[in-house]
Amino acid sequence: MAHGPYAIAKEDGVIFIENACPGDELELEIYDQRKDFAYAHIIELLEASELRAPEPPCKIHKICGSCQWQHIQYDEQLKFKQQNLTDLIPGVETPAIVGMDEPWNFRNKITYPVEVVGKTGRVKAGYFKRNSNELINVKHCPIQYSIFDEIMDALKEQMSTRGYPDKLIRHIMLRSNIDQSEILLCVVLRESMLDKEFRNKLRVDLNKIQEKFPQIVTTSINYNDLSTNVILGQKTEVHNGPGYITETFGGIKLEISTTSFFQVNTKQFLKIVEQIKSAILRTLSEEKGTSGSHKLLDLYCGIGTISLSLAKAIPELDITGIELVESAVENAKKNAEINQISTAKFIHGKVEDLASPEPSAQSPQPYDIVIVNPPRKGCTNKVLNDLGQLKFKQLIYVSCNPSTLARDAKHLEQFGFKIQSLQGFDMFPHSFHFETLAVLTRE
Ligand SMILES: C[S@@+](CC[C@H](N)C(=O)[O-])C[C@H]1O[C@@H](n2cnc3c(N)ncnc32)[C@H](O)[C@@H]1O
């Protein structure tokens, strides 16, 4: 398996095949021939690999853009992810990837694109077909919390009678806490298409769905008129409720607002945070004798999930978190308050501007430990070069993309950083994605 949706066959070059499994015997049709490689469709599965999952539970898994590996047995998916990680970052001893005991119903958030069909006004919502913008009207998705199927079904039915025009509603987002006692519903709209009539209809719909599902504690409307693929716009209105849901994560309470980032697989992220704690405790015990607090910088800190979990467990840490999204920083500050944590502070801004090697009032250097948890594209060169100049020994890199982690770790070698340990975590079963925790150190 490539680190992507394709299995690889080799014959006079490389052939990438979707929905194939290593060990299959296949009849293929090449649909895109390049110089050294080609893409092919399966015409016939002549003999199925014994690594195939006997009956993937999702009827649309072969076409849905969300799960690319559902046709492979879960244990084998884990082995392929492990192989992807060691291929991308060779030469580091890597323990087996941490999988899920029950790799279904794990997603705590969905964001469905929406379409209104022709004159019937029927509302469709779900996922796009792979490599296309054709929308599949998803009725059941086995990787998400099952309550989302019920809510989306009821909402779509309700909305289908209202005559909403197509393109007014861009997305519907649902996010839940782990025990599913609090759910947040957000409708993303094109504000330029919203008149009084539809505003009223939408209010009725949001009220009705909340009556039907009292666990929906917050309903909100987000406005996005941009023609990009960024889902959420800058403006959010809370229609009803406090504007957030409350999660209990390990020993801490977290408020999560509509536009703030929160990891989609709560159970697996808890395991990652536990390993981060262990790595830091090991470092602190090795440095016994250094008195006073240890300064930790948490870059791309979101709502403070990592910072506050560490602050609660390790009181001698003095933590500074930096985050770009304002609602997330507000959540982080409030979350520190709720948990009576005074050793973590949070700053709103770009890591590129605020993680500078120049000491400043906001940046109480020197740091002992830095954590980075960037988006999929990884850290920019500016951030990596600044990290190189900052004086600290241990860098904990939490990555949802092993390719950019490999690139960034290579860049950091010039500053003396070496990967000391590497551990994969399967946060996204049935897709090719996974999370990696890398601990880098320098003398
Ligand atoms: C993968 S999330 C990690 C969040 C957090 N560590 C957690 O586990 O919940 C990446 C975060 O980086 C933020 N972000 C993206 N680019 C940024 C930048 N240039 N400066 C600061 N924060 C940024 C995003 O808003 C998001 O909250």
Side-chain angles (χ1 to χ4, degrees):
M1 293 306 294
H3 176 58
Y6 306 104
I8 302 170
K10 285 183 183 162
E11 197 187 80
D12 302 333
V14 172
I15 306 171
F16 293 105
I17 317 146
E18 257 182 69
N19 295 318
C21 178
D24 280 345
E25 208 175 297
L26 303 165
E27 191 182 334
L28 301 175
E29 179 187 39
I30 305 257
Y31 65 89
D32 185 356
Q33 178 71 63
R34 313 280 176 97
K35 189 162 164 274
D36 298 317
F37 62 94
Y39 293 96
H41 295 300
I42 300 176
I43 296 179
E44 199 183 336
L45 178 54
L46 301 170
E47 196 167 326
S49 161
E50 52 187 34
L51 310 183
R52 276 188 174 259
E55 256 178 79
C58 178
K59 299 282 168 281
I60 55 166
H61 74 95
K62 282 189 189 161
I63 52 167
C64 177
S66 185
C67 292
Q68 312 85 4
W69 284 16
Q70 213 183 98
H71 60 292
I72 304 171
Q73 287 172 32
Y74 185 58
D75 285 353
E76 304 300 328
Q77 291 178 24
L78 292 176
K79 289 182 200 160
F80 292 130
K81 290 186 184 192
Q82 183 74 19
Q83 187 64 50
N84 287 165
L85 181 57
T86 48
D87 286 348
L88 286 161
I89 310 181
V92 185
E93 208 182 305
T94 311
I97 186 168
V98 178
M100 295 194 80
D101 294 337
E102 189 44 64
W104 302 103
N105 304 114
F106 57 86
R107 270 195 83 97
N108 61 27
K109 181 185 159 196
I110 56 165
T111 313
Y112 279 177
V114 175
E115 241 175 62
V116 177
V117 187
K119 288 194 184 112
T120 65
R122 193 165 69 84
V123 172
K124 271 171 79 177
Y127 289 113
F128 287 120
K129 239 179 169 172
R130 250 178 252 170
N131 313 319
S132 122
N133 50 12
E134 191 184 323
L135 188 66
I136 312 170
N137 188 36
V138 173
K139 297 287 274 179
H140 167 60
C141 171
I143 63 166
Q144 69 198 24
Y145 290 176
S146 54
I147 186 70
F148 293 165
D149 287 341
E150 288 176 47
I151 297 175
M152 285 304 302
D153 213 39
L155 190 60
K156 281 190 261 186
E157 202 177 305
Q158 235 175 260
M159 290 180 135
S160 291
T161 62
R162 304 254 180 250
Y164 290 114
D166 192 25
K167 300 207 165 19
L168 166 68
I169 306 169
R170 295 178 68 144
H171 287 91
I172 298 173
M173 178 184 121
L174 288 169
R175 167 183 265 168
S176 171
N177 64 357
I178 197 162
D179 63 11
Q180 297 172 35
S181 60
E182 292 190 23
I183 293 175
L184 184 151
L185 168 78
C186 174
V187 180
V188 185
L189 298 179
R190 276 190 180 77
E191 194 169 16
S192 52
M193 286 181 72
L194 187 65
D195 62 14
K196 208 169 158 197
E197 179 195 346
F198 292 121
R199 188 181 285 277
N200 287 336
K201 285 183 172 176
L202 186 69
R203 285 193 177 128
V204 171
D205 274 331
L206 292 178
N207 292 344
K208 248 180 117 173
I209 199 78
Q210 248 184 322
E211 268 167 38
K212 215 176 253 170
F213 296 93
Q215 62 272 58
I216 303 178
V217 292
T218 287
T219 48
S220 57
I221 302 171
N222 176 274
Y223 298 100
N224 187 0
D225 278 52
L226 296 176
S227 336
T228 65
N229 57 4
V230 176
I231 291 172
L232 293 171
Q234 293 294 321
K235 183 171 145 195
T236 307
E237 274 169 17
V238 176
H239 169 69
N240 202 6
Y244 56 81
I245 53 166
T246 315
E247 180 65 287
T248 306
F249 184 85
I252 55 167
K253 267 193 151 187
L254 297 169
E255 287 183 4
I256 316 166
S257 298
T258 311
T259 49
S260 304
F261 176 90
F262 189 68
Q263 303 281 355
V264 296
N265 187 332
T266 316
K267 269 191 192 161
Q268 288 298 88
F269 198 58
L270 262 168
K271 296 180 189 169
I272 297 180
V273 171
E274 280 310 309
Q275 280 216 4
I276 298 176
K277 261 187 223 168
S278 309
I280 292 178
L281 283 170
R282 257 196 315 276
T283 306
L284 297 189
S285 76
E286 279 160 17
E287 288 184 4
K288 249 192 190 152
T290 2
S291 57
S293 65
H294 296 263
K295 291 195 173 65
L296 184 146
L297 183 61
D298 180 12
L299 301 178
Y300 313 89
C301 68
I303 62 162
T305 312
I306 300 175
S307 288
L308 296 170
S309 304
L310 293 175
K312 183 96 180 173
I314 314 174
E316 63 265 43
L317 290 175
D318 169 5
I319 302 174
T320 305
I322 294 176
E323 164 63 42
L324 180 64
V325 171
E326 202 167 355
S327 69
V329 182
E330 278 165 18
N331 286 153
K333 288 179 180 168
K334 174 95 182 289
N335 290 336
E337 240 175 80
I338 299 170
N339 293 285
Q340 296 169 334
I341 288 169
S342 59
T343 50
K345 70 169 194 289
F346 298 96
I347 304 173
H348 173 224
K350 267 182 133 176
V351 166
E352 283 77 0
D353 302 331
L354 293 169
S356 147
E358 297 302 318
S360 68
Q362 287 190 321
S363 182
Q365 296 174 28
Y367 294 105
D368 300 290
I369 302 165
V370 177
I371 298 176
V372 293
N373 182 199
R376 203 157 270 170
K377 63 180 191 257
C379 297
T380 56
N381 283 347
K382 161 97 172 71
V383 170
L384 296 171
N385 292 336
D386 283 348
L387 288 175
Q389 302 306 320
L390 277 169
K391 304 245 178 303
F392 68 97
K393 279 189 185 164
Q394 188 179 43
L395 175 67
I396 296 177
Y397 195 136
V398 185
S399 163
C400 56
N401 182 349
S403 309
T404 53
L405 168 64
R407 180 202 67 198
D408 292 354
K410 191 95 205 124
H411 188 120
L412 288 164
E413 274 177 12
Q414 63 184 294
F415 304 110
F417 282 105
K418 276 205 183 95
I419 297 180
Q420 193 191 44
S421 69
L422 203 55
Q423 171 74 65
F425 291 85
D426 194 16
M427 290 261 281
F428 315 100
H430 314 295
S431 79
F432 64 86
H433 299 288
F434 58 93
E435 199 83 7
T436 307
L437 174 62
V439 179
L440 294 90
T441 52
R442 67 175 160 193
E443 287 310 311

Short mmCIF file of all heavy atoms in Angstrom, two decimals, residues 325-379:
data_model
loop_
_atom_site.label_atom_id
_atom_site.label_comp_id
_atom_site.label_asym_id
_atom_site.label_seq_id
_atom_site.Cartn_x
_atom_site.Cartn_y
_atom_site.Cartn_z
N VAL A 325 -6.32 30.76 15.54
CA VAL A 325 -7.77 30.98 15.51
C VAL A 325 -8.24 31.57 16.85
O VAL A 325 -8.02 30.98 17.91
CB VAL A 325 -8.51 29.65 15.18
CG1 VAL A 325 -10.01 29.79 15.34
CG2 VAL A 325 -8.18 29.21 13.77
N GLU A 326 -8.89 32.72 16.74
CA GLU A 326 -9.23 33.48 17.94
C GLU A 326 -10.17 32.70 18.88
O GLU A 326 -9.97 32.68 20.10
CB GLU A 326 -9.87 34.80 17.53
CG GLU A 326 -9.75 35.83 18.63
CD GLU A 326 -10.08 37.23 18.14
OE1 GLU A 326 -10.32 37.41 16.93
OE2 GLU A 326 -10.10 38.13 18.99
N SER A 327 -11.18 32.04 18.29
CA SER A 327 -12.14 31.32 19.15
C SER A 327 -11.43 30.22 19.92
O SER A 327 -11.77 29.93 21.07
CB SER A 327 -13.27 30.72 18.30
OG SER A 327 -12.78 29.67 17.51
N ALA A 328 -10.41 29.61 19.29
CA ALA A 328 -9.68 28.53 19.97
C ALA A 328 -8.87 29.09 21.14
O ALA A 328 -8.82 28.49 22.22
CB ALA A 328 -8.76 27.81 18.97
N VAL A 329 -8.26 30.26 20.94
CA VAL A 329 -7.46 30.86 22.03
C VAL A 329 -8.39 31.26 23.18
O VAL A 329 -8.06 31.05 24.36
CB VAL A 329 -6.68 32.10 21.54
CG1 VAL A 329 -5.83 32.68 22.65
CG2 VAL A 329 -5.80 31.72 20.37
N GLU A 330 -9.58 31.78 22.81
CA GLU A 330 -10.55 32.12 23.87
C GLU A 330 -10.94 30.87 24.64
O GLU A 330 -11.01 30.87 25.86
CB GLU A 330 -11.79 32.78 23.27
CG GLU A 330 -11.58 34.25 22.99
CD GLU A 330 -12.66 34.81 22.08
OE1 GLU A 330 -13.73 34.20 21.94
OE2 GLU A 330 -12.39 35.88 21.49
N ASN A 331 -11.20 29.76 23.89
CA ASN A 331 -11.51 28.50 24.57
C ASN A 331 -10.36 28.09 25.48
O ASN A 331 -10.58 27.71 26.64
CB ASN A 331 -11.73 27.36 23.56
CG ASN A 331 -13.05 27.43 22.81
OD1 ASN A 331 -13.18 26.94 21.70
ND2 ASN A 331 -14.05 28.03 23.42
N ALA A 332 -9.13 28.21 24.98
CA ALA A 332 -7.96 27.76 25.76
C ALA A 332 -7.86 28.54 27.08
O ALA A 332 -7.64 27.96 28.15
CB ALA A 332 -6.68 27.92 24.94
N LYS A 333 -8.05 29.87 26.99
CA LYS A 333 -7.95 30.70 28.20
C LYS A 333 -9.03 30.32 29.20
O LYS A 333 -8.77 30.17 30.40
CB LYS A 333 -8.08 32.19 27.83
CG LYS A 333 -6.86 32.72 27.10
CD LYS A 333 -7.05 34.17 26.73
CE LYS A 333 -5.82 34.70 26.00
NZ LYS A 333 -6.04 36.00 25.37
N LYS A 334 -10.26 30.17 28.68
CA LYS A 334 -11.37 29.80 29.56
C LYS A 334 -11.15 28.39 30.13
O LYS A 334 -11.42 28.13 31.31
CB LYS A 334 -12.67 29.88 28.73
CG LYS A 334 -13.93 29.41 29.38
CD LYS A 334 -14.71 30.55 30.02
CE LYS A 334 -15.98 30.09 30.72
NZ LYS A 334 -17.02 29.66 29.77
N ASN A 335 -10.62 27.49 29.30
CA ASN A 335 -10.38 26.12 29.76
C ASN A 335 -9.35 26.09 30.89
O ASN A 335 -9.45 25.30 31.83
CB ASN A 335 -9.94 25.23 28.59
CG ASN A 335 -11.09 24.97 27.62
OD1 ASN A 335 -12.25 25.06 28.00
ND2 ASN A 335 -10.76 24.68 26.37
N ALA A 336 -8.36 26.98 30.81
CA ALA A 336 -7.37 27.07 31.91
C ALA A 336 -8.09 27.49 33.19
O ALA A 336 -7.87 26.91 34.26
CB ALA A 336 -6.27 28.07 31.55
N GLU A 337 -8.98 28.47 33.06
CA GLU A 337 -9.74 28.97 34.22
C GLU A 337 -10.60 27.88 34.83
O GLU A 337 -10.56 27.65 36.04
CB GLU A 337 -10.68 30.06 33.70
CG GLU A 337 -10.48 31.44 34.31
CD GLU A 337 -11.42 32.39 33.58
OE1 GLU A 337 -12.63 32.41 33.90
OE2 GLU A 337 -10.92 33.05 32.66
N ILE A 338 -11.38 27.19 33.95
CA ILE A 338 -12.31 26.16 34.44
C ILE A 338 -11.54 25.10 35.24
O ILE A 338 -12.02 24.57 36.22
CB ILE A 338 -13.01 25.43 33.26
CG1 ILE A 338 -13.82 26.39 32.43
CG2 ILE A 338 -13.87 24.29 33.73
CD1 ILE A 338 -14.32 25.77 31.13
N ASN A 339 -10.34 24.77 34.76
CA ASN A 339 -9.55 23.71 35.41
C ASN A 339 -8.61 24.26 36.48
O ASN A 339 -7.75 23.54 36.98
CB ASN A 339 -8.77 22.93 34.34
CG ASN A 339 -9.68 22.16 33.42
OD1 ASN A 339 -10.23 21.14 33.80
ND2 ASN A 339 -9.88 22.66 32.21
N GLN A 340 -8.78 25.53 36.80
CA GLN A 340 -7.97 26.21 37.82
C GLN A 340 -6.48 26.01 37.59
O GLN A 340 -5.72 25.65 38.49
CB GLN A 340 -8.37 25.72 39.21
CG GLN A 340 -9.80 26.08 39.52
CD GLN A 340 -10.34 25.42 40.75
OE1 GLN A 340 -9.88 24.35 41.13
NE2 GLN A 340 -11.30 26.05 41.37
N ILE A 341 -6.11 26.23 36.33
CA ILE A 341 -4.70 26.09 35.96
C ILE A 341 -4.12 27.48 35.74
O ILE A 341 -4.62 28.24 34.91
CB ILE A 341 -4.56 25.21 34.70
CG1 ILE A 341 -4.86 23.76 35.06
CG2 ILE A 341 -3.16 25.33 34.09
CD1 ILE A 341 -5.00 22.83 33.89
N SER A 342 -3.08 27.80 36.49
CA SER A 342 -2.50 29.15 36.35
C SER A 342 -1.11 29.07 35.72
O SER A 342 -0.45 30.08 35.51
CB SER A 342 -2.40 29.81 37.72
OG SER A 342 -1.60 28.99 38.54
N THR A 343 -0.66 27.84 35.37
CA THR A 343 0.69 27.68 34.84
C THR A 343 0.72 27.60 33.31
O THR A 343 1.74 27.25 32.73
CB THR A 343 1.34 26.41 35.42
OG1 THR A 343 0.40 25.34 35.24
CG2 THR A 343 1.68 26.57 36.89
N ALA A 344 -0.44 27.85 32.68
CA ALA A 344 -0.46 27.84 31.21
C ALA A 344 -1.12 29.12 30.73
O ALA A 344 -2.22 29.45 31.16
CB ALA A 344 -1.24 26.62 30.70
N LYS A 345 -0.42 29.83 29.82
CA LYS A 345 -1.05 31.02 29.23
C LYS A 345 -1.08 30.86 27.70
O LYS A 345 -0.28 30.11 27.13
CB LYS A 345 -0.31 32.28 29.66
CG LYS A 345 1.07 32.48 29.07
CD LYS A 345 1.51 33.91 29.39
CE LYS A 345 2.70 34.36 28.58
NZ LYS A 345 3.98 33.75 28.90
N PHE A 346 -2.03 31.55 27.09
CA PHE A 346 -2.26 31.34 25.66
C PHE A 346 -2.25 32.67 24.92
O PHE A 346 -2.80 33.66 25.40
CB PHE A 346 -3.59 30.61 25.45
CG PHE A 346 -3.58 29.25 26.09
CD1 PHE A 346 -4.12 29.06 27.36
CD2 PHE A 346 -2.99 28.17 25.46
CE1 PHE A 346 -4.08 27.82 27.98
CE2 PHE A 346 -2.93 26.92 26.06
CZ PHE A 346 -3.48 26.74 27.33
N ILE A 347 -1.58 32.65 23.77
CA ILE A 347 -1.43 33.88 22.99
C ILE A 347 -2.03 33.67 21.61
O ILE A 347 -1.81 32.63 20.97
CB ILE A 347 0.07 34.25 22.86
CG1 ILE A 347 0.70 34.38 24.25
CG2 ILE A 347 0.25 35.56 22.08
CD1 ILE A 347 2.20 34.57 24.21
N HIS A 348 -2.78 34.70 21.18
CA HIS A 348 -3.39 34.64 19.86
C HIS A 348 -2.42 35.19 18.81
O HIS A 348 -1.91 36.29 18.95
CB HIS A 348 -4.68 35.48 19.87
CG HIS A 348 -5.30 35.60 18.52
ND1 HIS A 348 -5.79 36.77 18.03
CD2 HIS A 348 -5.47 34.68 17.55
CE1 HIS A 348 -6.26 36.58 16.83
NE2 HIS A 348 -6.09 35.32 16.50
N GLY A 349 -2.17 34.43 17.77
CA GLY A 349 -1.33 34.94 16.69
C GLY A 349 -0.75 33.81 15.89
O GLY A 349 -1.04 32.63 16.11
N LYS A 350 0.10 34.21 14.92
CA LYS A 350 0.72 33.23 14.03
C LYS A 350 2.00 32.71 14.67
O LYS A 350 2.80 33.52 15.18
CB LYS A 350 1.10 33.91 12.72
CG LYS A 350 0.07 33.82 11.65
CD LYS A 350 0.57 34.49 10.41
CE LYS A 350 0.34 33.62 9.21
NZ LYS A 350 0.71 34.24 7.97
N VAL A 351 2.22 31.42 14.60
CA VAL A 351 3.48 30.85 15.11
C VAL A 351 4.66 31.55 14.42
O VAL A 351 5.67 31.85 15.05
CB VAL A 351 3.50 29.33 14.85
CG1 VAL A 351 4.88 28.76 15.05
CG2 VAL A 351 2.50 28.64 15.76
N GLU A 352 4.48 31.86 13.12
CA GLU A 352 5.55 32.50 12.35
C GLU A 352 5.98 33.83 13.00
O GLU A 352 7.13 34.22 12.93
CB GLU A 352 5.07 32.79 10.92
CG GLU A 352 5.05 31.58 10.00
CD GLU A 352 3.87 30.64 10.25
OE1 GLU A 352 3.05 30.92 11.15
OE2 GLU A 352 3.80 29.62 9.56
N ASP A 353 5.03 34.54 13.63
CA ASP A 353 5.35 35.83 14.23
C ASP A 353 5.77 35.71 15.69
O ASP A 353 6.52 36.54 16.19
CB ASP A 353 4.13 36.77 14.16
CG ASP A 353 3.66 36.99 12.74
OD1 ASP A 353 4.52 36.91 11.84
OD2 ASP A 353 2.46 37.20 12.53
N LEU A 354 5.24 34.70 16.37
CA LEU A 354 5.38 34.70 17.83
C LEU A 354 6.38 33.70 18.39
O LEU A 354 6.70 33.74 19.57
CB LEU A 354 4.01 34.45 18.47
CG LEU A 354 3.00 35.59 18.24
CD1 LEU A 354 1.60 35.17 18.66
CD2 LEU A 354 3.43 36.83 19.00
N ALA A 355 6.90 32.79 17.54
CA ALA A 355 7.88 31.84 18.05
C ALA A 355 9.29 32.29 17.69
O ALA A 355 10.19 31.49 17.46
CB ALA A 355 7.60 30.45 17.49
N SER A 356 9.45 33.59 17.64
CA SER A 356 10.73 34.13 17.21
C SER A 356 11.83 33.90 18.26
O SER A 356 11.55 33.88 19.45
CB SER A 356 10.54 35.63 16.96
OG SER A 356 11.70 36.33 17.27
N PRO A 357 13.08 33.73 17.80
CA PRO A 357 14.16 33.51 18.77
C PRO A 357 14.48 34.75 19.60
O PRO A 357 15.21 34.65 20.58
CB PRO A 357 15.35 33.10 17.90
CG PRO A 357 14.96 33.31 16.51
CD PRO A 357 13.51 33.57 16.42
N GLU A 358 13.94 35.91 19.19
CA GLU A 358 14.17 37.12 19.98
C GLU A 358 13.31 37.08 21.23
O GLU A 358 12.09 37.01 21.13
CB GLU A 358 13.77 38.37 19.17
CG GLU A 358 14.56 38.59 17.90
CD GLU A 358 16.06 38.71 18.18
OE1 GLU A 358 16.41 39.37 19.16
OE2 GLU A 358 16.84 38.10 17.43
N PRO A 359 13.90 37.16 22.44
CA PRO A 359 13.07 37.16 23.64
C PRO A 359 12.16 38.40 23.64
O PRO A 359 12.55 39.45 23.15
CB PRO A 359 14.07 37.24 24.79
CG PRO A 359 15.39 36.94 24.20
CD PRO A 359 15.33 37.27 22.76
N SER A 360 10.94 38.24 24.14
CA SER A 360 10.01 39.37 24.21
C SER A 360 9.15 39.18 25.46
O SER A 360 9.22 38.13 26.11
CB SER A 360 9.12 39.40 22.98
OG SER A 360 8.26 38.28 23.03
N ALA A 361 8.33 40.19 25.74
CA ALA A 361 7.48 40.10 26.93
C ALA A 361 6.57 38.87 26.83
O ALA A 361 6.31 38.19 27.81
CB ALA A 361 6.64 41.36 27.03
N GLN A 362 6.11 38.58 25.58
CA GLN A 362 5.17 37.46 25.42
C GLN A 362 5.88 36.12 25.42
O GLN A 362 5.28 35.09 25.60
CB GLN A 362 4.45 37.62 24.09
CG GLN A 362 3.42 38.74 24.12
CD GLN A 362 2.58 38.70 22.88
OE1 GLN A 362 3.09 38.44 21.79
NE2 GLN A 362 1.30 38.97 23.03
N SER A 363 7.18 36.15 25.18
CA SER A 363 7.90 34.91 24.95
C SER A 363 9.02 34.74 25.99
O SER A 363 10.14 35.21 25.79
CB SER A 363 8.47 34.97 23.52
OG SER A 363 9.13 33.81 23.21
N PRO A 364 8.69 34.09 27.11
CA PRO A 364 9.62 34.04 28.23
C PRO A 364 10.73 33.01 28.05
O PRO A 364 10.72 31.95 28.64
CB PRO A 364 8.72 33.66 29.41
CG PRO A 364 7.66 32.83 28.77
CD PRO A 364 7.50 33.29 27.37
N GLN A 365 11.69 33.33 27.22
CA GLN A 365 12.74 32.36 26.89
C GLN A 365 13.78 32.32 28.01
O GLN A 365 13.81 33.22 28.82
CB GLN A 365 13.38 32.78 25.58
CG GLN A 365 12.39 32.71 24.46
CD GLN A 365 12.95 33.27 23.17
OE1 GLN A 365 14.15 33.23 22.97
NE2 GLN A 365 12.11 33.79 22.33
N PRO A 366 14.69 31.37 28.12
CA PRO A 366 14.80 30.24 27.21
C PRO A 366 13.80 29.12 27.57
O PRO A 366 13.47 28.94 28.72
CB PRO A 366 16.24 29.76 27.44
CG PRO A 366 16.53 30.12 28.85
CD PRO A 366 15.77 31.38 29.13
N TYR A 367 13.36 28.41 26.53
CA TYR A 367 12.47 27.28 26.75
C TYR A 367 13.29 26.03 27.00
O TYR A 367 14.45 25.93 26.59
CB TYR A 367 11.58 27.05 25.52
CG TYR A 367 10.63 28.20 25.28
CD1 TYR A 367 10.86 29.11 24.25
CD2 TYR A 367 9.52 28.36 26.08
CE1 TYR A 367 10.00 30.17 24.04
CE2 TYR A 367 8.65 29.43 25.87
CZ TYR A 367 8.90 30.32 24.86
OH TYR A 367 8.06 31.38 24.67
N ASP A 368 12.65 25.07 27.68
CA ASP A 368 13.30 23.76 27.86
C ASP A 368 12.77 22.76 26.83
O ASP A 368 13.50 21.92 26.33
CB ASP A 368 13.02 23.25 29.27
CG ASP A 368 13.56 24.21 30.32
OD1 ASP A 368 14.79 24.29 30.42
OD2 ASP A 368 12.76 24.91 30.97
N ILE A 369 11.46 22.87 26.58
CA ILE A 369 10.81 21.90 25.69
C ILE A 369 9.87 22.67 24.75
O ILE A 369 9.20 23.61 25.18
CB ILE A 369 9.97 20.89 26.50
CG1 ILE A 369 10.85 20.14 27.52
CG2 ILE A 369 9.23 19.90 25.60
CD1 ILE A 369 10.10 19.40 28.59
N VAL A 370 9.82 22.24 23.48
CA VAL A 370 8.85 22.82 22.55
C VAL A 370 8.00 21.69 21.95
O VAL A 370 8.53 20.63 21.59
CB VAL A 370 9.56 23.62 21.42
CG1 VAL A 370 8.53 24.15 20.41
CG2 VAL A 370 10.38 24.77 21.99
N ILE A 371 6.69 21.94 21.90
CA ILE A 371 5.78 20.99 21.23
C ILE A 371 5.26 21.68 19.97
O ILE A 371 4.90 22.86 20.01
CB ILE A 371 4.57 20.64 22.14
CG1 ILE A 371 5.06 19.94 23.41
CG2 ILE A 371 3.56 19.78 21.40
CD1 ILE A 371 3.97 19.64 24.42
N VAL A 372 5.25 20.97 18.85
CA VAL A 372 4.57 21.50 17.66
C VAL A 372 3.54 20.47 17.19
O VAL A 372 3.80 19.28 17.20
CB VAL A 372 5.53 21.83 16.48
CG1 VAL A 372 6.44 22.98 16.81
CG2 VAL A 372 6.34 20.63 16.05
N ASN A 373 2.37 20.98 16.83
CA ASN A 373 1.29 20.13 16.30
C ASN A 373 0.62 20.88 15.15
O ASN A 373 -0.50 21.34 15.25
CB ASN A 373 0.30 19.81 17.43
CG ASN A 373 -0.83 18.88 17.03
OD1 ASN A 373 -1.86 18.81 17.70
ND2 ASN A 373 -0.67 18.15 15.96
N PRO A 374 1.39 21.02 14.03
CA PRO A 374 0.89 21.85 12.93
C PRO A 374 -0.19 21.15 12.11
O PRO A 374 -0.39 19.95 12.25
CB PRO A 374 2.15 22.06 12.08
CG PRO A 374 2.95 20.83 12.30
CD PRO A 374 2.68 20.39 13.71
N PRO A 375 -0.87 21.91 11.23
CA PRO A 375 -1.80 21.27 10.28
C PRO A 375 -1.02 20.36 9.32
O PRO A 375 0.21 20.31 9.35
CB PRO A 375 -2.41 22.45 9.52
CG PRO A 375 -1.97 23.68 10.21
CD PRO A 375 -0.79 23.36 11.05
N ARG A 376 -1.80 19.69 8.45
CA ARG A 376 -1.21 18.67 7.57
C ARG A 376 0.00 19.18 6.77
O ARG A 376 0.92 18.43 6.47
CB ARG A 376 -2.31 18.22 6.62
CG ARG A 376 -2.09 16.87 6.04
CD ARG A 376 -3.38 16.25 5.59
NE ARG A 376 -3.96 15.49 6.69
CZ ARG A 376 -5.18 14.98 6.70
NH1 ARG A 376 -5.96 15.15 5.67
NH2 ARG A 376 -5.61 14.30 7.72
N LYS A 377 0.01 20.44 6.40
CA LYS A 377 1.11 20.93 5.55
C LYS A 377 2.42 21.08 6.33
O LYS A 377 3.46 21.37 5.74
CB LYS A 377 0.73 22.24 4.88
CG LYS A 377 0.46 23.39 5.84
CD LYS A 377 0.09 24.63 5.03
CE LYS A 377 0.07 25.86 5.92
NZ LYS A 377 -1.21 26.36 6.33
N GLY A 378 2.40 20.86 7.63
CA GLY A 378 3.63 20.91 8.43
C GLY A 378 4.02 22.33 8.79
O GLY A 378 3.22 23.26 8.68
N CYS A 379 5.29 22.52 9.22
CA CYS A 379 5.77 23.84 9.64
C CYS A 379 6.38 24.55 8.43
O CYS A 379 6.95 23.90 7.55
CB CYS A 379 6.85 23.70 10.71
SG CYS A 379 6.27 22.93 12.22
#
